[in-house]
Amino acid sequence: MKFFKTSGFLTALLLFLSAGISLAGDPENCLLCHKYQRLRGYTADGTLRNYYVDGKLYQDSIHGKLSCIDCHSDIEKVPHGNIEKVDCAKVCHLDRWKALSGTDFSHKEVADAFNKSIHGKKPDDKPEIAALKPDCKYCHLNDLYVLPQDIPPDKVMKRCLNCHKEKGIDQIFIHMSHRMRQKTSRPPLEVVALCASCHADKDFQNVVGMEGPVAEAVSTYKETIHYRILQFGGTDTAHCISCHASESIHNIQPGTDPQSSVHPENRYQTCQTEGCHPGAGAMIASVDSHLSKHKDKGPEIHLAEVIMQGVMFFTLFLLFTLMGMETYRRIKNRDARFFRWLRKPRHLTQAPALSGDPIGKISNLHRYVNFDPKGDLPRYSLHIIINHTLMAITFSMAVITGLPLFFHNSELSHQFINLLGGINVTRMIHRINAAIFTLNCAYHVAVVILGIARQLKNGTFDIKRTQFPLWKDVKDFYCDFRYFLGFENSRPKMEKFMYKQKLHYLAQIWGCSVLTLSGCCLLFPEFMVQYIPFAKVSFNVLRLMHGEESILAFLVIALWHMYNVHIAPGRFPVQWTFWTGRIAKDHQIEEHFLEYQRQVREGVAQCEEEKLLKGESPDVK
Amino acid sequence: MSNNGNSRLEAFIVFAIVVTAAAVLSGWLTFSVQFERQKEIKVKKPKSMSLAAWQMKELERKQQHEHFHLGLEDKALDAWAEKSTCIICHTVYPHGRNKQAMAIINLHTEFVTCNTCHLKLTDKSTLRFGWVNPPGMTPAEKPYGTSIDPETGVFTQTGNHVSKITPLHMVDGALRPYMSEQDFSAALNYMAEKDTYSEAQKQSIVDAMHKDTEIKEFVLCRQCHSTDGIIPFEKLGFDQTRTNQLRRMEIGGMLTNYDTFYFPDLFKQE
């Protein structure tokens, strides 16, 4: 054996000479072998293991001044055979540290703090459980301890070097600057992935008996806006460590432990840290920031989601049915050609005798009149046009910038956010549009209230001309559907706002209220949680509904509203009412006959029946 | 039946179709929205990356908690993954039988083509060696591993991680590698379709592919790593320091001379 040791020594000398150069932190010249990227072999169970050590990376790291056997202390031979895992809590013989502090350097205190946490190994842990618990290296990889790229090191180091000329000061700088930046050096998504390697691994959870909220911590976190921002590259938001670890990082405790940073008593202070929610009060503790949709763990969220899905299904079902039947009937009755500009009035072949009031004497009058594509009759005031235009722009922009966050797992969403300039730009666009959207809603309410007040003052107010739902609308719906099915020869005579528009308007009132309120909950959580009733339940329900409601609103507008206004046969490709405020005669007579009648009596519109029956209409050949 | 009756029947048929379509479309929209948004992102293989390189990346990702010293990306892996007949089937870590030396042997796949060691030739003294690149690549920089950075003591950084040493032979008066590009697609086809072949067919293809291959490891070390080795490191562009290291077989000596190499106590800390 002695011979081998002596021979080994001589060989080692020979190797060092032949190698010529060894790194400062590698006196044993381990990189002789370990500098090769493909230094990999198989374990007994066939797993490929990587033995590569990037010399430059190691040298630049906080551990770069340590030799390999300082940590891998049980390696004595080559090939190494089975070696123990490195114990980070062992004493390091750092002379400089000892000279400064008079003690040996060790990570033992950190290791002890960690072992007291929920993740640490406990004396009463079963061996198989203890073996599965994470050690230091599970989270801390050496490449995290290199000089931060976002701080110009030379500039900062120059200041240090004014006084500190000692060898090794750069290592201390790395250590300190690394610690000063944030709680962790890992990118936030890596932190989530690291936690997910246990907290989202069902097989692992079954083995260690992890259950309850802690077993779903990652999946419920992924439902939050915090995670979605991270997913799109944002950084100014919370990840696991932000909330679950205090400044000392390693003492993560279960939420029921009074020492825990997420214990209800401490939660609001945690929300306040790092400038996240400086105004967070005690009320925020009542809200669970993880959105669990499980019927047992988050019953209110589960119920809200089921209701929203039901509402969405039945709304879409009703609208698709109406759209399908209306399309069929319009084509079947040849009410109009599909393209609006190809439409020509039909010839009136069997005209009734002209006697008395001619209004309403000609069935399906809209088929026999011509129209101005820009609109013939007044319908909307300038205020409503401005309202509609602002609503269309801001809602579209909010949808465009919000949908990617809703479909946060879609690759397309990520490409789109990148196209917009990143998540921070997208959020800014979304918020600006949401603010204008909300102000526009307030403007509309003011227009409506002042308009009604003026009409009341003038004695011209007529509830039938408003969006207020009346029993007649139900009857109109019934009769109109009978017309679509072929049981009626003409559509019912409807008011300025027919049943479809009232349905749409009511839905819009609901949608705007929910989107505004829920948007405020997302934007100002610390403020909103104090004032909304039943915050413990309603706050998370509203947060969930922001996305769900906007999807429903988007589908209703993209499919139903656009169909009725611009896509239905005879309306395609566009009606200009939204811009001119005037409605074409054929449309007014077909769907708002009572308003047409009123306008004729008020002298705003000409009586089309009279013109037709007298043969004066230029539309009749 | 009257025209009116026909018309109503038609309307009812249309109504039934519309209701069914509306139910299906509404259901699909309602629930696909939920499915779509709850679908976890699966890290997909980039189209430009070979399957072998992707699998290796995935393995490294899974093992990241177990390797404190994470290293740089293996830049040569993807370039050669589908451009080397041997690697397509055997991966870049084919050596696993010799438990003591497997990792040391495997590291060679970064620098030499497989047939550098495994070429079946009775007289290797006439062999010539040169550099070969993956088809379609012509790196201008010096190959990685040919020089040592005197400041850092590790390999000089270079953009060329793909050039490999390979044996050459004379073809029509010009020196060409033994590698044949036609074999790449044959190997890719074999791997894609091997489950459809019978054992006899498999054996026949495998035999044909390995007709010029000699399965030897380790014992050939000194044929290259010695002062009179067959690979002319200097002519291939290796600097003097690296040439000396390779000729003295800096690593191999530990494995060939001693069953076990003990670290001297000299380096133990007090």
Side-chain angles (χ1 to χ4, degrees), chain A residues 7 25 63 75 84 95 129 134 140 153 165 174 190 205 288 311 356 408 427 451 463-464 497:
Chain A
S7 311
H63 297 105
I75 291 181
E84 291 293 318
D95 295 340
I129 300 295
H140 298 266
K165 312 249 184 244
I174 295 169
E190 264 192 33
Q205 289 170 2
D288 187 355
V311 168
H408 54 107
R427 287 167 79 195
I463 197 166
K464 290 178 193 164
F497 299 106

Side-chain angles (χ1 to χ4, degrees), chain A residues 544-584:
Chain A
L544 171 94
M545 285 178 74
H546 192 73
E548 304 271 345
E549 177 58 36
S550 51
I551 281 288
L552 180 57
F554 167 69
L555 288 174
V556 168
I557 287 170
L559 299 172
W560 199 49
H561 182 65
M562 295 305 280
Y563 168 84
N564 280 305
V565 180
H566 301 301
I567 294 170
R571 311 257 190 262
F572 188 82
V574 67
Q575 293 190 95
W576 290 103
T577 315
F578 74 92
W579 193 247
T580 62
R582 303 178 75 82
I583 186 168

Side-chain angles (χ1 to χ4, degrees), chain A residues 39-175:
Chain A
L39 187 79
R40 298 189 191 198
Y42 296 90
T43 56
D45 63 358
T47 309
L48 185 66
R49 308 300 308 193
N50 185 357
Y51 306 120
Y52 170 55
V53 177
D54 183 325
K56 182 75 170 62
L57 187 76
Y58 179 75
Q59 195 178 34
D60 289 345
S61 77
I62 183 67
H63 297 105
K65 293 287 187 284
L66 297 175
S67 67
C68 302
I69 59 168
D70 282 340
C71 299
H72 297 280
S73 51
D74 59 330
I75 291 181
E76 291 185 326
K77 59 186 182 180
V78 177
H80 306 319
N82 294 325
I83 57 170
E84 291 293 318
K85 280 186 174 181
V86 168
D87 177 10
C88 299
K90 66 175 288 194
V91 171
C92 299
H93 299 284
L94 299 178
D95 295 340
R96 176 165 165 65
W97 176 268
K98 195 163 188 174
L100 283 170
S101 67
T103 58
D104 282 324
F105 182 84
S106 170
H107 293 302
K108 191 170 181 307
E109 281 188 30
V110 182
D112 288 345
F114 174 74
N115 280 330
K116 285 176 192 163
S117 78
I118 183 74
H119 295 121
K121 292 179 175 67
K122 307 288 185 309
D124 54 347
D125 277 342
K126 291 177 185 169
E128 61 271 23
I129 300 295
L132 289 170
K133 285 196 168 177
D135 56 10
C136 306
K137 300 188 295 322
Y138 196 83
C139 305
H140 298 266
L141 301 178
N142 200 38
D143 64 344
L144 298 170
Y145 297 93
V146 295
L147 214 55
Q149 297 297 313
D150 50 345
I151 301 173
D154 296 342
K155 195 177 169 186
V156 182
M157 274 298 290
K158 271 181 189 167
R159 292 190 188 176
C160 307
L161 292 170
N162 281 334
C163 307
H164 299 283
K165 312 249 184 244
E166 303 92 335
K167 195 179 170 187
I169 193 67
D170 51 339
Q171 304 305 123
I172 293 173
F173 172 72
I174 295 169
H175 192 270

Side-chain angles (χ1 to χ4, degrees), chain B residues 107-119:
Chain B
L107 72 84
H108 285 79
T109 65
E110 191 181 354
F111 306 104
V112 298
T113 60
C114 302
N115 57 11
T116 306
C117 303
H118 294 284
L119 189 64

Side-chain angles (χ1 to χ4, degrees), chain A residues 37, chain B residues 73 75-77 80 110 143-144 157-163:
Chain A
Q37 274 199 107
Chain B
E73 188 183 354
K75 291 171 184 164
L77 184 63
W80 280 104
E110 191 181 354
Y144 178 70
Q157 292 303 309
T158 166
N160 179 4
H161 284 258
V162 296
S163 297

Side-chain angles (χ1 to χ4, degrees), chain B residues 11-81:
Chain B
F12 269 114
I13 292 169
V14 171
F15 178 63
I17 293 168
V18 165
V19 165
T20 311
V24 171
L25 197 56
S26 313
W28 178 74
L29 273 173
T30 305
F31 298 108
S32 75
V33 162
Q34 301 305 327
F35 292 143
E36 182 62 35
R37 63 184 291 268
Q38 284 168 12
K39 208 163 53 182
E40 282 283 324
I41 288 185
K42 283 192 178 161
V43 187
K44 289 183 194 163
K45 179 178 89 63
K47 281 181 188 167
S48 58
M49 190 182 278
S50 66
L51 181 64
W54 175 245
Q55 286 170 338
M56 191 52 63
K57 269 195 155 332
E58 280 294 279
L59 179 68
E60 285 178 354
R61 190 177 60 79
K62 285 177 189 163
Q63 291 183 344
Q64 69 168 333
H65 306 302
E66 299 160 24
H67 190 50
F68 185 65
H69 304 280
L70 273 182
L72 297 172
E73 188 183 354
D74 188 342
K75 291 171 184 164
L77 184 63
D78 195 41
W80 280 104

Side-chain angles (χ1 to χ4, degrees), chain A residues 232 403-405 407-408 410-418:
Chain A
F232 288 104
L403 276 189
L405 279 166
F407 294 105
H408 54 107
S410 162
E411 203 175 313
L412 196 65
S413 300
H414 288 256
Q415 289 167 354
F416 187 71
I417 295 268
N418 288 338

